[in-house]
Amino acid sequence: MKIRRIGAAGAALTVLAALGGCALNGAGTESDTGADASGDVTGEVTLQTWALKPNFTEYVEGVIADFEEEYPGTEVTWLDQPGDGYSEKVLSQAAAGELPDVTNLPPDFALSLAREGLLTDVTTVDDTVEDTYVPGALEAYQYGGIDGTFGFPWYLTTDLNYWNTEMFEKAGLDPATPPTSLDELVAQARTMKDETGEYLMSRKPGLGDFAAEGLPVLSDDGTELVFNTPEAAELLDVYRDAYADGLMPDDVLTDAYLGNSQLFTEGKVAWSTGGGNFINSVLENNPSLDGKITSSPYMGTTPLYVQGLSVSNQSKNLPTAVALARFVTNAANQEAFSTEVPGVFPSTTASQENPELAESDDTPQGDAKAIAFSNLTTAQVLQPVEVNEAMTTIINQQFAAAIAGDKTSQEALDAAVEECNKLLADQ
């Protein structure tokens, strides 16, 4: 399983924005997203998940059965939607006033519903959330210009670095001391290219690279992208110079580019980033790399990928809906889910003390899992969820132009910010 990301379709958002009632009237406007969840936990509620059938049917049905046993008189109807078209399905449900009581939403899609006042601010119905979930996961459901937190964090993944030890050793580099910064990465990439003709670096940067270095990307109120700083231009210059010096494959800027992880899997580059279970997926496709992969923490702030459960602000049984969302995302149930899905981790702070998650079994896979898990408490969602696919296309095009030397890095950043802010204003 992978953490999935979705973007809302423009036409569906138009339908959603036509909803009346408690909808927001623009960024920064408060909505009545709090409610009284103090009643009895009883009666019927609906739980909607995203593409968990059939692989995790037994697990989900078991959690539901446990919930109904703990709260006699409750009845949970489980809906599971297929992966394709999930965003449109949820938006259609919302527009029809049929949003399930509890819905599995990633942060970027929850934003669309939170803007319309359709999700419950979980801090108003549960005063323990800040102690229950790791900070970055909670922050993923907090949006500039909207007061509140609009999801109970569920399962997480994060990224770390992976290195091809054989390629390091051929270049006279020590895989036990891989790069820990961009400058070190470029220096070792130069050594590898000079000594063996092979590549260490094989991707251009994105907004996440700026955020990982602590550079501003989005304004605090969520209304403007602000990544066209001199510091960001300097970072982009580093990649431009590396590309000009032949330290990255020529097609890294073209449509023929296979992708960083694919080139790593094929043994053509010595560095990739990936989740805690990345080694297993690599070895499934290229067993010859067995014993030749090591890992290290992500450079800069560790990225976080989040799934959560949001509660409809229109639920007719809010006490039971909140209780269900909390039950599904409690430490015991999340830890059980993490054993079902290697590389997926609990969002609960209590799980940080679980030795089965925190300790390595001294295999490369176990080392990677332990590194990934140890960084969950400080990991953050690096790319703002306000950045949609159209903006990403613009950003990629401008960054490619800068790295190719077709325009200066500052010109590319200024152009990207200007065009993306026009799209952001229309959201």
Side-chain angles (χ1 to χ4, degrees):
M1 169 177 289
K2 296 181 179 179
I3 295 286
R4 297 152 296 205
R5 294 182 56 82
I6 55 179
L13 275 175
T14 301
V15 174
L16 186 59
L19 289 172
C22 61
L24 291 171
N25 294 313
T29 304
E30 291 188 7
S31 170
D32 182 16
T33 54
D36 183 7
S38 60
D40 293 337
V41 178
T42 188
E44 300 179 3
V45 289
T46 303
L47 168 67
Q48 179 164 279
T49 57
W50 184 11
L52 294 188
K53 289 184 178 180
N55 292 343
F56 306 103
T57 297
E58 184 177 352
Y59 169 79
V60 176
E61 289 181 343
V63 172
I64 290 172
D66 290 343
F67 176 79
E68 293 174 340
E69 181 179 355
E70 181 156 331
Y71 296 98
T74 59
E75 182 178 347
V76 179
T77 298
W78 177 29
L79 306 174
D80 187 70
Q81 303 295 343
D84 293 338
Y86 184 64
S87 60
E88 291 80 3
K89 175 65 176 180
V90 174
L91 286 171
S92 296
Q93 291 171 322
E98 298 174 351
L99 193 67
D101 297 284
V102 180
T103 304
N104 174 194
L105 297 174
D108 54 345
F109 191 55
L111 169 62
S112 301
L113 301 181
R115 280 174 170 162
E116 301 303 326
L118 298 176
L119 301 180
T120 299
D121 173 5
V122 300
T123 64
T124 66
V125 295
D126 183 351
D127 59 8
T128 69
V129 290
E130 290 188 3
D131 296 324
T132 302
Y133 305 98
V134 297
L138 273 179
E139 291 167 5
Y141 290 92
Q142 299 168 357
Y143 309 110
I146 310 175
D147 291 333
T149 303
F150 297 95
F152 290 96
W154 194 5
Y155 56 92
L156 313 175
T157 63
T158 185
D159 282 346
L160 58 156
N161 292 312
Y162 290 92
W163 313 97
N164 183 312
T165 59
E166 184 177 53
M167 293 177 70
F168 265 67
E169 290 166 353
K170 283 174 58 180
L173 297 168
D174 183 3
T177 57
T180 60
S181 68
L182 179 58
D183 287 343
E184 291 180 8
L185 180 69
V186 172
Q188 294 198 31
R190 192 177 306 280
T191 297
M192 183 170 292
K193 189 66 186 296
D194 290 345
E195 295 297 324
T196 67
E198 296 180 318
Y199 295 108
L200 177 57
M201 302 173 65
S202 64
R203 68 170 178 85
K204 63 180 184 293
L207 291 187
D209 293 277
F210 293 164
E213 293 297 323
L215 304 180
V217 175
L218 183 72
S219 63
D220 290 341
D221 63 3
T223 62
E224 288 186 311
L225 289 159
V226 294
F227 57 84
N228 56 334
T229 62
E231 293 80 7
E234 290 177 7
L235 187 149
L236 206 50
D237 285 345
V238 173
Y239 281 90
R240 178 203 62 198
D241 294 345
Y243 182 76
D245 291 345
L247 304 186
M248 293 190 284
D250 290 339
D251 64 2
V252 72
L253 304 180
T254 73
D255 292 338
Y257 178 53
L258 296 176
N260 182 225
S261 61
Q262 180 62 34
L263 292 176
F264 184 88
T265 299
E266 294 179 2
K268 295 178 179 178
V269 301
W271 168 56
S272 181
T273 57
N277 198 41
F278 181 66
I279 293 178
N280 286 344
S281 65
V282 170
L283 296 183
E284 286 176 7
N285 293 288
N286 187 357
S288 70
L289 290 181
D290 191 15
K292 301 175 183 176
I293 303 174
T294 189
S295 57
S296 68
Y298 200 85
M299 287 178 273
T301 301
T302 301
L304 189 66
Y305 308 100
V306 186
Q307 286 288 340
L309 294 178
S310 296
V311 177
S312 171
N313 204 37
Q314 300 175 331
S315 173
K316 296 179 180 178
N317 191 356
L318 192 61
T320 304
V322 170
L324 176 62
R326 286 212 63 196
F327 188 84
V328 174
T329 62
N330 69 28
N333 285 323
Q334 289 213 49
E335 288 171 15
F337 192 54
S338 70
T339 65
E340 298 259 346
V341 193
V344 163
F345 301 111
S347 61
T348 44
T349 54
S351 300
Q352 295 296 308
E353 306 302 322
N354 186 332
E356 293 184 3
L357 295 170
E359 297 176 5
S360 172
D361 60 4
D362 295 325
T363 65
Q365 292 89 331
D367 291 345
K369 182 200 72 171
I371 291 171
F373 184 73
S374 69
N375 288 324
L376 289 179
T377 56
T378 57
Q380 298 176 4
V381 175
L382 296 183
Q383 176 157 309
V385 297
E386 290 84 355
V387 176
N388 59 26
E389 291 181 9
M391 296 180 201
T392 299
T393 297
I394 292 169
I395 291 165
N396 286 340
Q397 290 171 343
Q398 292 296 330
F399 284 17
I403 293 169
D406 295 334
K407 57 173 59 176
T408 70
S409 293
Q410 191 63 59
E411 290 171 344
L413 292 171
D414 289 342
V417 164
E418 180 180 3
E419 292 302 312
C420 288
N421 277 337
K422 292 177 184 177
L423 298 178
L424 184 61
D426 292 334
Q427 285 188 356

